[in-house]
Amino acid sequence: MKVLVAVKRVIDYNVKVRVKPDNTGVDLANVKMAMNPFCEIAVEEAVRLKEKGVASEIVVVSIGPKAAQEQIRTALALGADRGIHIETDEEVQSLEAAKLLKSVVEKEEPKLVILGKQSIDSDNNQTGQMLAALTGMGQGTFASEVVVEGEKVNVTREIDGGLVTVALNLPAVVTTDLRLNEPRYASLPNIMKAKKKPLESMSPADLGVDIANRLSTLKVEAPASRQAGVKVADVAELVDKLKNEAKVI
Amino acid sequence: MSILVIAEHDNSSLKQATLNVVATAKAIGGDIDVLVAGENCGAVAEAAAKAEGVNKVLVADNAAYGHFLAENLGELVAEVGKGYSHILAAAGTTGKDFMPRVAALLDVAQVSDIMRVESEDTFVRPIYAGNAIATVKANDAIKVITVRPTAFDPVAAEGGSASVEQLDVVKDAGLSSFVNEELAKSDRPDLGSAGIVVSGGRGMQNGDNFKMLEQVADLLGAAVGASRAAVDAGFVPNDMQVGQTGKIVAPQLYIAVGISGAIQHLAGMSDSKVIVAINKDEEAPIFQVADYGLVADLFEAVPQLEEELKKVL
Ligand SMILES: Cc1cc2nc3c(=O)[nH]c(=O)nc-3n(C[C@H](O)[C@H](O)[C@H](O)COP(=O)(O)OP(=O)(O)OC[C@H]3O[C@@H](n4cnc5c(N)ncnc54)[C@H](O)[C@@H]3O)c2cc1C
């Protein structure tokens, strides 16, 4: 079966983000960018499905500026077979991203679409679910285990109270949580091979999708910062302070 | 304006987060209806009808909603919600699952995890793991919103007298079915709404050592949480993870034991009133946000803490 994986280029998770002085956003100039960590888990899962003989082809798609091709190449180096780049320099919000992905799904007709549960920049946690609704597919969000059996996929989901397993008809959408797998690193020979894998580029207009934003960001500010407090000498002093100074116990 | 709040519950009791979301609805202003979708969830509907400020409780009681499958809830809420100006749910794993489907079916954007209401269409939310705070305006006619419950003080659970109306809307998308669940059983308070949280990280070394934290937690009436590293290592289950991609907590007191203080962890707990850090590395970033820091080996400090607490509590 064919698996479609969507990946996003975001700020590297180790980077300490800084809000721009004019409060229009965060400073992304000269900042290290990378594949969203949850998308790495999505790629890894697809590759494992291929290694198990469940998936026959992995198509990776990314929406974003020209540079997002780096993340597509990374996915190709990790084992995806071909890439689709929907190129735009505009900000694409979740609903519009889902509509773009829907048109790719209609063209590619994958049996399984795997996405990260959230991107660590906008922290929205929406796109996979929206894509599933728009395409009339079932969804297994926050997945910690994915088992394909015939025309169904069983997805174990990390929920607030523990774990729940649902069975979904295929085709279906899965969004990844942290415990689904541990992504591998790309080997140098595979990075070289990835350069020759097919990568098709198109624009949102080519797909007939209007990507105008529905949400306007009025301002972006730094959070109220906490001040470091005091160091206590020992446990007795700690308990005394909690009881008599902070009065929280 | 008319606001539809989707109740969070387990078919038998109303989750406190619903009261926080009703408070968010009050901050927006307008008539507030609560939708209880579940199976044999009459007790939940009764509880919701008593919540302060609720006008009407709508009940969709059907096997299709018993396990909160997003495909079915999404269709139901999109249909019931289309007559409202706002649809709100808590940003827990249930709300995060079905609400984007609602938004997509209504062809509107969703505003996720709001922590403040500026006006009926403008909301404040964290981005980049809380390292930036965005003020966003929703331009669609219907606002689909998930709410960070800890950011809003709950309305009173008692005192209201809303009418209860049964809905006859059954949406079974036929796309998904429930297989099984493994729910954590604990007599401790719920992590998301506990007044005190004691969390352990990789420094705990194994799951057995978490018993030390549980003993302290039980003295304090606290919930027990964990860092991602502790969950990934299999010390404790996933529902204990605090952070950007786990649970958001804001207790009166948060005690971080053997946790370094990565930004993704801080994103889940930095709104706590008082933060205590116990860590043997005095350079650990957690000390930059801690009100009280103790540089010590946790295997000595935690048993001592238990003894000292026994003296004063
Ligand atoms: C996409 C993404 C999402 C993430 N989401 C989350 C999230 O939601 N929540 C989260 O917590 N993390 C999250 N993380 C992980 C995060 O980046 C850190 O890796 C993690 O929080 C580290 O956990 P830790 O502090 O327990 O471990 P470490 O960073 O290894 O820290 C262990 C600490 O224990 C101390 N210690 C060790 N032994 C002792 C001892 N005997 N006595 C006292 N102190 C001791 C050490 O000094 C150290 O400071 C995420 C990461 C990514 C990439």
Side-chain angles (χ1 to χ4, degrees):
Chain A
M1 67 178 200
K2 190 194 279 190
V3 178
L4 179 70
V5 182
V7 302
K8 186 175 181 186
R9 176 183 173 87
V10 298
I11 194 164
D12 184 273
Y13 79 95
N14 284 310
V15 173
K16 172 104 182 82
V17 306
R18 300 209 185 284
V19 170
K20 285 192 205 159
D22 66 0
N23 294 115
T24 55
V26 306
D27 199 350
L28 294 179
N30 305 317
V31 166
K32 185 172 177 222
M33 302 295 279
M35 190 190 297
N36 180 45
F38 290 100
C39 303
E40 288 181 341
I41 298 173
V43 172
E44 176 67 30
E45 195 63 17
V47 173
R48 290 187 189 191
L49 286 172
K50 195 170 174 197
E51 287 168 348
K52 278 187 221 154
V54 176
S56 50
E57 185 188 20
I58 303 169
V59 180
V60 57
V61 52
S62 188
I63 303 165
K66 184 109 205 151
Q69 292 193 2
E70 289 167 23
Q71 279 64 47
I72 297 177
R73 291 285 174 206
T74 302
L76 294 172
L78 289 167
D81 297 294
R82 67 187 162 86
I84 298 175
H85 179 212
I86 304 174
E87 188 176 341
T88 173
D89 289 326
E90 304 297 316
E91 179 199 353
V92 179
Q93 296 179 343
S94 307
L95 181 64
E96 290 68 37
K99 289 181 179 179
L100 290 168
L101 295 175
K102 177 184 182 232
S103 59
V104 175
V105 165
E106 283 166 352
K107 208 169 106 212
E108 296 286 339
E109 299 182 333
K111 276 266 159 134
L112 197 61
V113 187
I114 313 180
L115 306 85
K117 76 165 178 179
Q118 80 192 60
S119 62
I120 59 164
D121 48 3
S122 57
D123 278 338
N124 274 320
N125 198 328
Q126 299 176 0
T127 305
Q129 297 89 315
M130 288 178 161
L131 171 65
L134 293 176
T135 52
M137 287 196 248
Q139 67 189 42
T141 53
F142 329 144
S144 68
E145 200 184 346
V146 174
V147 182
V148 179
E149 273 169 12
E151 281 304 299
K152 288 209 189 275
V153 58
N154 276 18
V155 180
T156 301
R157 309 179 45 234
E158 294 198 356
I159 59 168
D160 288 339
L163 295 169
V164 63
T165 303
V166 292
L168 309 171
N169 298 347
L170 293 174
V173 171
V174 167
T175 77
T176 62
D177 215 320
L178 296 169
R179 256 73 56 182
L180 182 57
N181 60 50
E182 230 176 280
R184 72 193 68 190
Y185 295 97
S187 67
L188 197 57
N190 285 343
I191 293 172
M192 300 311 291
K193 265 197 259 166
K195 294 192 174 143
K196 299 203 186 75
K197 289 187 179 175
L199 200 173
E200 188 187 355
S201 196
M202 59 194 71
S203 71
D206 293 338
L207 295 167
V209 176
D210 174 9
I211 59 163
N213 292 340
R214 310 289 193 89
L215 302 174
S216 357
T217 300
L218 304 184
K219 63 178 173 200
V220 174
E221 295 162 296
S225 66
R226 272 190 99 100
Q227 298 299 318
V230 296
K231 291 259 168 62
V232 292
D234 52 31
V235 172
E237 187 189 348
L238 173 63
V239 171
D240 177 64
K241 293 249 198 257
L242 291 177
K243 189 162 174 69
N244 300 314
E245 189 177 89
K247 298 190 168 62
V248 287
I249 59 171
Chain B
M1 270 176 311
S2 55
I3 304 173
L4 183 66
V5 170
I6 317 303
E8 186 160 315
H9 64 93
D10 58 5
N11 289 316
S12 56
S13 62
L14 185 70
K15 293 266 167 73
Q16 197 215 282
T18 310
L19 303 175
N20 302 82
V21 180
V22 171
T24 313
K26 279 183 79 174
I28 295 169
D31 279 346
I32 303 168
D33 292 353
V34 173
L35 172 63
V36 177
E39 185 182 13
N40 298 326
C41 53
V44 179
E46 273 170 44
K50 290 191 198 127
E52 178 198 338
V54 177
N55 170 52
K56 190 165 63 179
V57 176
L58 306 169
V59 189
D61 195 330
N62 191 281
Y65 313 126
H67 294 288
F68 315 110
L69 294 171
E71 299 78 6
N72 302 350
L73 281 185
E75 285 190 21
L76 171 73
V77 175
E79 170 139 341
V80 176
K82 63 182 180 227
Y84 291 83
S85 59
H86 297 73
I87 307 174
L88 269 56
T93 48
T94 309
K96 286 177 182 171
D97 192 31
F98 75 84
M99 286 290 267
R101 286 190 87 102
V102 174
L105 293 173
L106 294 172
D107 193 27
V108 302
Q110 173 178 312
V111 189
S112 291
D113 207 19
I114 67 164
M115 45 199 280
R116 212 162 67 224
V117 173
E118 294 281 280
S119 73
E120 63 187 70
D121 62 6
T122 303
F123 310 95
V124 176
R125 61 178 302 267
I127 53 176
Y128 294 91
N131 287 302
I133 306 293
T135 302
V136 295
K137 182 167 178 289
N139 301 309
D140 291 308
I142 303 178
K143 277 84 178 144
V144 172
I145 296 169
T146 62
V147 174
R148 173 171 289 200
T150 54
F152 296 86
D153 288 331
V155 298
E158 301 284 335
S161 57
S163 60
V164 177
E165 191 180 302
Q166 301 293 326
L167 293 180
D168 195 19
V169 191
V170 180
K171 297 281 184 189
D172 189 346
L175 295 169
S176 55
S177 57
F178 169 81
V179 178
N180 60 40
E181 63 192 358
E182 274 172 60
L183 298 186
K185 285 190 198 70
S186 162
D187 298 330
R188 296 192 186 89
D190 172 53
L191 184 55
S193 52
I196 301 180
V197 174
V198 182
S199 285
R202 198 195 312 264
M204 297 304 297
Q205 290 180 5
N206 60 46
D208 274 348
N209 290 334
F210 264 77
K211 290 206 182 81
M212 296 195 307
L213 298 187
E214 289 169 3
Q215 283 162 7
V216 169
D218 290 342
L219 285 172
L220 293 167
V224 180
S227 70
R228 172 191 174 181
V231 177
D232 281 4
F235 303 170
V236 291
N238 63 279
D239 51 275
M240 285 170 61
Q241 182 182 315
V242 171
Q244 177 189 18
T245 59
K247 283 191 183 139
I248 308 294
V249 302
Q252 293 295 105
L253 172 61
Y254 188 89
I255 304 178
V257 182
I259 292 178
S260 61
I263 51 171
Q264 293 88 0
H265 189 78
L266 301 185
M269 46 63 82
S270 59
D271 287 333
S272 305
K273 183 159 170 273
V274 173
I275 296 174
V276 169
I278 301 176
N279 196 305
K280 68 178 180 190
D281 173 11
E282 64 176 322
E283 301 293 322
I286 189 78
F287 287 122
Q288 288 163 22
V289 299
D291 300 281
Y292 301 111
L294 177 62
V295 181
D297 188 315
L298 70 91
F299 294 102
E300 285 165 26
V302 176
Q304 282 172 14
L305 179 61
E306 189 185 342
E307 290 314 309
E308 288 294 325
L309 286 173
K310 279 185 186 153
K311 286 187 209 159
V312 301
L313 292 175

